[in-house]
């Protein structure tokens, strides 16, 4: 029996709002993160990822209240990333209710933080996020600060290095594909997944269910995370009951404009379709 | 309301907050502690933990918690081990050489193979959801009166581990799980000791049912 692939809703958060961008930029406000998180939990999400998308830019981390409220009612692993710089930052986020933290900028600047953090909190608590951009010469380089900051670090050797330093998982984003709905970067995902023994969570580019199946089968992803496919399904079907946040660009939400590149789908539908394609996912047990 | 006190044994191995929240959720009064007096006076105790077996035993010794844990278990009070907290109950582990465990359950802790019988590479650690099921020799009543009583056979639980437990006696095995072709013991029950490789506090509503049932055993003790 092949192992079960995790399906992980990703919630990008700015201030009190759930937002979604393209190439990790150009943010639209979608609603309150807790409402989306609760809905995903109840519909069978395997984990959740929260990312404070502006924390790194302004050196702030305003997620703690949202994390605490989420952790009170959601009993699946919650990974939190964005603006986490120090061992104390990690401790605070875990204390607020996260199960794992994801490090990017801090890890690239000081790789030893991976070693120190995994020793203190356990490898399984430390996820390293790699934001990859394919250069014109075909090389993949790791960026930081939501794909804005060039580092010159080569992705595949960096992946091996973070594993050696004690990272428990890799959250791999294709910045080129992120928010485009054009499908995952299969080559990138497969090469990273094959070069390490720790799980690789594929991110960036999901526009429809087939894309998710493809990155699992052809890209050897151990888990998949995506946002738009789920968020637009939630907005379309359910979220009219909820009041959207007031801060930020809400024009899109108020007009009810969809996003043409994305075919919305709910978690149950996604897992059922993946199951039909021979991919194992967690579903409710039938036994007695 | 009289909430049952549960000592969450803190020995510096990983994040214990989700265990605390799950206990609170089912109406228990969890206390995160490394104080042996607090542990021994509690009505129940949980040994959680993630990380390396050798470091964990080292920390238990340094914090002088080996004897209190054994005494707590001998007193017959409900005890739960989670993940590394299960593995530590066994005799020894092959993690980074051989390390002696608490030896409450006879057996060894073994690493998952990274290559299967078809010579295919397998990811280790296992991170994610997997099914727990009753051993084939056991009957349908095997989980009755255990913390798994409300759980359906083949239900999914959340796992994070590279090593698994191989107890010597089949009778202690409460559930089995299969990861990439390796069938292994995913939970044990020996009198007042329930321990599981998976994380019930991260296993959604099904996991909370295990905490609820375990909390019930604390309440039942008082009535006896």
């Amino acid at each position: 029996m092949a192992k079960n692939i995790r399906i992980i809703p990703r919630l990008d958060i700015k201030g009190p709002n759930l937002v979604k961008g393209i190439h990790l930029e150009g943010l639209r406000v979608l609603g309150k993160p807790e409402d989306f998180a609760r809905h995903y939990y109840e519909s069978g999400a395997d984990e959740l990822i929260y990312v404070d998308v502006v924390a790194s830019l302004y050196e702030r981390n305003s997620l703690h209240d949202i994390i605490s409220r989420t952790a009170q009612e959601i009993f699946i692993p919650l990974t939190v990333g964005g603006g986490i710089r120090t061992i104390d930052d990690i401790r605070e986020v875990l204390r607020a209710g996260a199960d794992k933290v994801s490090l990017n900028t801090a890890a690239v600047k000081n790789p030893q933080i991976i070693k120190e953090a995994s020793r203190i909190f356990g490898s399984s608590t430390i996820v390293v996020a790699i934001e990859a951009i394919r250069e014109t010469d075909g090389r993949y380089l790791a960026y930081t600060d939501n794909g804005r900051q060039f580092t010159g670090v080569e992705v595949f050797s960096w992946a091996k290095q973070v594993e050696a330093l004690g990272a428990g998982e890799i959250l791999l984003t294709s910045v080129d594909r992120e928010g485009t709905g054009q499908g995952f970067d299969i080559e990138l995902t497969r090469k990273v997944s094959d070069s390490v023994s720790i799980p690789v969570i594929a991110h960036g580019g999901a526009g429809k269910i087939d894309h998710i199946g493809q990155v699992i089968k052809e890209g050897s992803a151990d888990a998949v995370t995506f946002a738009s496919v789920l968020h637009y399904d939630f907005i379309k079907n359910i979220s009219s009951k909820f009041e959207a946040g007031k801060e930020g660009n809400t024009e899109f939400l108020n007009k009810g404009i969809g996003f043409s590149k994305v075919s919305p789908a709910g978690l149950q539908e996604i897992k059922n379709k993946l199951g039909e394609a021979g991919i194992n996912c967690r579903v409710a047990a039938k036994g007695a | 309301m009289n909430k049952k006190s549960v000592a969450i044994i803190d020995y510096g191995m990983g994040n214990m907050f989700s265990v605390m929240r799950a206990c609170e959720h089912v109406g228990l009064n969890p206390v995160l502690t490394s104080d042996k007096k607090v542990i021994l006076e509690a009505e129940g105790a949980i040994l959680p933990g993630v990380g390396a077996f050798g470091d964990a035993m080292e920390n238990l010794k340094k914090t002088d918690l080996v004897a209190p844990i054994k005494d707590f278990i001998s007193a017959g009070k409900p005890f739960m081990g989670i993940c590394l907290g299960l593995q530590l109950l066994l005799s020894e582990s092959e993690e980074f050489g051989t390390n002696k465990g608490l030896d409450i359950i006879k057996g060894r802790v073994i690493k998952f193979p990274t290559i299967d019988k078809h010579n295919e590479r397998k990811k280790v650690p296992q991170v994610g959801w997997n099914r727990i099921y009753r051993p084939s020799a056991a009957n349908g009543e095997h989980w009755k009166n255990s913390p798994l009583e409300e759980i359906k056979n083949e239900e999914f639980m959340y796992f994070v581990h590279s090593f698994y437990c191989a107890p010597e006696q089949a009778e202690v095995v409460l559930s089995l799980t299969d990861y990439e072709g390796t069938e292994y013991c995913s939970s044990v029950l020996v009198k007042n000791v329930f321990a599981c490789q998976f994380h019930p506090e991260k296993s959604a509503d099904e996991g909370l049912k295990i905490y609820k049932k375990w909390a019930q055993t604390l309440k039942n003790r008082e009535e006896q």
Side-chain angles (χ1 to χ4, degrees):
Chain A
M1 185 96 166
K3 71 167 177 244
N4 298 289
I5 303 297
R6 287 170 287 153
I7 304 300
I8 309 176
R10 174 180 167 121
L11 289 82
D12 288 340
I13 296 167
K14 181 187 177 189
N17 293 321
L18 177 71
V19 295
K20 188 68 200 88
I22 297 176
H23 306 306
L24 300 175
E25 298 204 86
L27 305 175
R28 293 165 162 180
V29 171
L30 302 185
K32 281 188 194 156
E34 297 94 319
D35 294 334
F36 285 75
R38 190 181 310 111
H39 172 68
Y40 296 145
Y41 176 66
E42 286 166 358
S43 44
D46 294 322
E47 302 190 20
L48 294 175
I49 295 175
Y50 278 7
V51 179
D52 190 343
V53 290
V54 293
S56 189
L57 202 58
Y58 301 108
E59 303 272 341
R60 72 166 166 146
N61 200 331
S62 58
L63 270 179
H64 293 180
D65 290 346
I66 298 173
I67 298 168
S68 317
R69 285 198 296 271
T70 305
Q72 294 301 330
E73 53 182 22
I74 285 175
F75 293 90
I76 52 174
L78 171 64
T79 300
V80 173
I84 297 169
R85 295 300 168 91
T86 64
I87 295 294
D88 283 341
D89 290 346
I90 297 172
R91 190 173 282 115
E92 272 180 40
V93 167
L94 295 177
R95 196 176 290 275
D99 295 293
K100 317 180 200 182
V101 295
S102 132
L103 306 172
N104 177 16
T105 308
V108 172
K109 279 187 182 160
N110 169 26
Q112 290 305 313
I113 194 175
I114 303 170
K115 195 172 185 177
E116 197 184 352
S118 62
R119 190 176 46 81
I120 297 171
F121 305 105
S123 280
S124 57
T125 305
I126 306 303
V127 179
V128 172
I130 301 179
E131 292 169 2
I133 294 182
R134 191 186 163 103
E135 305 295 313
T136 47
D137 62 3
R139 286 188 311 151
Y140 284 96
L141 296 184
Y143 281 67
T144 59
D145 295 297
N146 298 323
R148 292 186 199 95
Q149 188 66 45
F150 178 83
T151 66
V153 172
E154 198 272 324
V155 165
F156 306 112
S157 59
W158 176 230
K160 285 187 189 143
Q161 196 188 342
V162 306
E163 177 180 36
L165 287 165
E169 292 178 75
I170 290 172
L171 169 56
L172 178 65
T173 299
S174 163
V175 179
D176 305 313
R177 299 297 181 92
E178 203 281 330
T180 65
Q182 292 171 345
F184 291 86
D185 187 331
I186 302 298
E187 183 193 348
L188 167 72
T189 312
R190 193 187 56 244
K191 278 190 169 170
V192 172
S193 187
D194 287 350
S195 64
V196 294
S197 184
I198 55 177
V200 171
I201 306 164
H203 172 235
K208 55 181 181 179
I209 298 174
D210 288 349
H211 291 153
I212 300 162
Q214 193 191 12
V215 79
I216 296 165
K217 284 194 156 170
E218 297 168 28
S220 310
D222 300 294
V224 190
T225 186
F226 44 94
S228 303
V229 170
L230 294 168
H231 297 344
Y232 293 122
D233 177 73
F234 181 61
I235 290 168
K236 198 175 71 179
N237 294 316
I238 299 148
S239 80
S240 54
K241 287 183 248 160
F242 299 108
E243 190 198 349
K246 305 265 187 298
E247 186 186 311
N249 175 12
T250 56
E251 185 189 341
F252 140 82
L253 194 63
N254 296 336
K255 287 185 179 164
I257 305 166
F259 183 47
S260 61
K261 292 268 174 43
V262 168
S263 309
L267 282 159
Q268 284 309 314
E269 184 189 354
I270 291 168
K271 287 188 170 188
N272 289 341
K273 287 264 173 66
L274 292 176
E276 287 165 18
I279 294 165
N280 292 328
C281 295
R282 162 190 167 235
V283 288
K286 294 186 189 78
Chain B
M1 202 177 83
N2 174 25
K3 286 186 177 180
K4 297 290 163 196
S5 64
V6 175
I8 314 292
I9 301 170
D10 182 6
Y11 58 113
M13 296 302 287
N15 175 13
M16 322 241 154
F17 299 116
S18 57
V19 174
M20 297 280 287
R21 276 190 303 277
C23 285
E24 284 161 5
H25 192 84
V26 299
L28 294 168
N29 177 28
V31 188
L32 189 62
T33 183
S34 49
D35 182 332
K36 54 185 155 188
K37 192 159 170 280
V38 175
I39 293 169
L40 286 168
E41 281 173 4
E43 289 158 286
I46 298 179
L47 184 64
V50 296
F53 189 100
D55 290 351
M57 276 310 294
E58 199 58 36
N59 283 7
L60 285 179
K61 284 175 195 160
K62 257 193 288 190
T63 46
D64 206 13
L65 287 174
V66 172
I69 289 171
K70 289 187 171 176
D71 291 348
F72 187 94
I73 291 172
S74 308
K77 290 193 276 188
F79 183 93
M80 174 157 46
I82 299 167
C83 194
L84 188 57
L86 157 65
Q87 298 182 359
L88 292 169
L89 299 177
L90 276 82
S91 313
E92 59 181 19
S93 166
E94 61 173 34
E95 187 167 351
F96 308 117
T98 299
N99 283 289
K100 294 283 174 211
L102 294 168
D103 200 25
I104 287 156
I105 296 167
K106 295 285 171 215
R108 284 174 61 76
V109 180
I110 299 166
K111 188 164 189 188
F112 276 129
T114 49
I115 292 172
D116 74 359
K117 55 190 172 207
H118 308 295
N119 228 7
E120 269 183 51
R121 267 186 69 225
K122 297 295 170 190
K123 291 260 171 128
V124 175
Q126 169 177 218
V127 180
W129 296 78
N130 207 341
R131 295 179 190 273
I132 62 168
Y133 51 90
R134 289 189 278 265
S136 54
N139 62 29
E141 302 280 277
H142 192 58
W143 289 351
K144 203 169 170 15
N145 298 322
S146 85
L148 301 186
E149 182 163 343
E150 306 291 326
I151 303 299
K152 287 177 181 168
N153 200 32
E154 302 206 329
E155 189 54 82
F156 280 92
M157 296 290 159
Y158 189 83
F159 290 82
V160 183
H161 62 127
S162 301
F163 290 77
Y164 64 92
C165 292
E168 278 173 21
Q169 293 172 298
E171 309 89 87
V172 306
V173 177
L174 194 58
S175 70
L176 294 171
T177 294
D178 184 301
Y179 178 63
E180 298 279 34
T182 301
E183 186 179 69
Y184 66 96
C185 165
S186 51
S187 67
V188 298
L189 181 66
V190 188
K191 291 184 249 176
N192 55 319
V193 176
F194 164 72
C196 50
Q197 185 60 63
F198 49 89
H199 291 268
E201 67 282 359
K202 296 180 192 179
S203 299
D205 292 352
E206 299 308 312
L208 291 175
K209 284 182 189 169
I210 296 175
Y211 273 91
K212 231 169 267 171
K213 193 74 201 169
W214 189 74
Q216 197 64 48
T217 62
L218 268 80
K219 287 183 189 125
N220 291 347
R221 271 175 62 81
E222 191 180 29
E223 287 159 16
Q224 280 163 10

